[in-house]
Amino acid sequence: MALPLYLAMTAAELFCASELPPYCGYMAYHFSPYSTGLSNFPPALPEGSVLILNDRTPAHGHDPDLIAQQLSRCVEEHSACGILLDFQRPGCSETSKIAQAIVHHAPCPVAVSPDYSQQLSCPVFLPPPPLNCLLRDYIAPWQDRELWLEAALDRRQITLTAQGCSISTDASEPTTAYPFTDPLLHCHYRIETTQDQAHFLLQRTSDDLNNLLQEAESLGITKAIGLYQELSPFSNTLT
């Protein structure tokens, strides 16, 4: 069976979509600013969706057991297949307690971002693999864990100078072609040189991402999750 790619959708995207992708994620539950539980509950979701909770609103005085109960009820109400805790604010003891409660009480698999998964028995949700790193090497520190992988069409720039090498995210829209491919890194790239610098500009296209997801499946990764807004134009061609 092909690796399932869940496309994370907001409530508005779910409501407005003329056709839903085969695998949906709901983005996202938040820590409520007005109570000790959650907010932004969806009215309806397709069966088998992944429920996503993030910490865009920081945890502050929230009740771990209440949140775990709320999410468990949502899993049952919507027949969800999993929960993703996409926590990006590191080092918060309250968030850690919430993650522990959800993993303990949830009636389905719960994947947790790396900062909060180390002391938990649960799948790990890894960010997209860097374009300059082999997928096998990237997941090696987590080889004894079930893995969910974030899927994205990234760009990155590597600059070489006499002083050394620097790597940065290339946020600009590509204006010229990426004529070369690296089948091991699953990316396209081009090279630009000046008198004292060399720039390697790397891009992961939809074809590259599809090949990456096929390798991810062969390495035992069980789910991929990306943004509907970014990946929906390519959903028919992706794994």
Side-chain angles (χ1 to χ4, degrees):
M1 181 177 179
L3 177 69
L5 172 61
Y6 291 80
L7 297 185
M9 307 176 72
T10 64
E13 289 170 337
L14 282 163
F15 179 78
C16 295
S18 57
E19 182 179 358
L20 294 177
Y23 303 98
C24 290
Y26 172 62
M27 186 179 67
Y29 297 88
H30 305 298
F31 300 134
S32 174
Y34 310 111
S35 72
T36 59
L38 298 177
S39 63
N40 202 35
F41 292 86
L45 289 173
E47 182 176 348
S49 297
V50 169
L51 310 182
I52 302 171
L53 168 62
N54 64 37
D55 57 352
R56 180 177 178 181
T57 301
H60 183 69
H62 289 84
D63 186 334
D65 290 331
L66 172 60
I67 290 173
Q69 292 166 11
Q70 289 177 317
L71 274 181
S72 294
R73 286 197 298 268
C74 289
V75 168
E76 295 170 355
E77 177 183 351
H78 301 294
S79 300
C81 73
I83 296 171
L84 168 59
L85 305 184
D86 187 17
F87 294 156
Q88 299 300 318
R89 298 175 183 267
C92 177
S93 60
E94 288 192 60
T95 302
S96 180
K97 292 176 182 177
I98 291 169
Q100 291 175 24
I102 294 171
V103 169
H104 179 73
H105 291 291
C108 64
V110 181
V112 185
S113 49
D115 284 334
Y116 291 97
S117 65
Q118 296 185 21
Q119 305 303 319
L120 299 175
S121 178
C122 65
V124 182
F125 177 60
L126 294 178
L131 278 77
N132 58 316
C133 180
L134 296 175
L135 179 60
R136 184 180 298 274
D137 294 340
Y138 178 63
I139 68 173
W142 306 96
Q143 60 184 349
D144 59 338
R145 304 284 294 270
E146 179 182 348
L147 298 177
W148 298 11
L149 184 69
E150 183 177 355
L153 305 177
D154 288 343
R155 289 190 292 273
R156 183 161 295 206
Q157 178 173 305
I158 301 174
T159 300
L160 295 178
T161 67
Q163 288 71 43
C165 175
S166 64
I167 302 174
S168 61
T169 300
D170 180 9
S172 61
E173 289 295 329
T175 56
T176 57
Y178 291 73
F180 308 111
T181 61
D182 190 316
L184 297 180
L185 294 173
H186 303 298
C187 69
H188 283 64
Y189 66 97
R190 72 175 187 267
I191 304 171
E192 298 176 354
T193 59
T194 64
Q195 185 173 356
D196 56 357
Q197 293 184 349
H199 302 282
F200 297 84
L201 296 101
L202 291 71
Q203 179 186 38
R204 182 159 287 145
T205 67
S206 59
D207 288 339
D208 295 324
L209 181 57
N210 195 51
N211 292 332
L212 176 73
L213 295 179
Q214 290 180 30
E215 182 182 1
E217 180 189 10
S218 73
L219 293 174
I221 293 172
T222 57
K223 284 183 176 63
I225 299 178
L227 293 176
Y228 173 80
Q229 181 179 4
E230 179 182 36
L231 299 181
S232 60
F234 314 104
S235 59
N236 291 332
T237 62
L238 292 174
T239 297

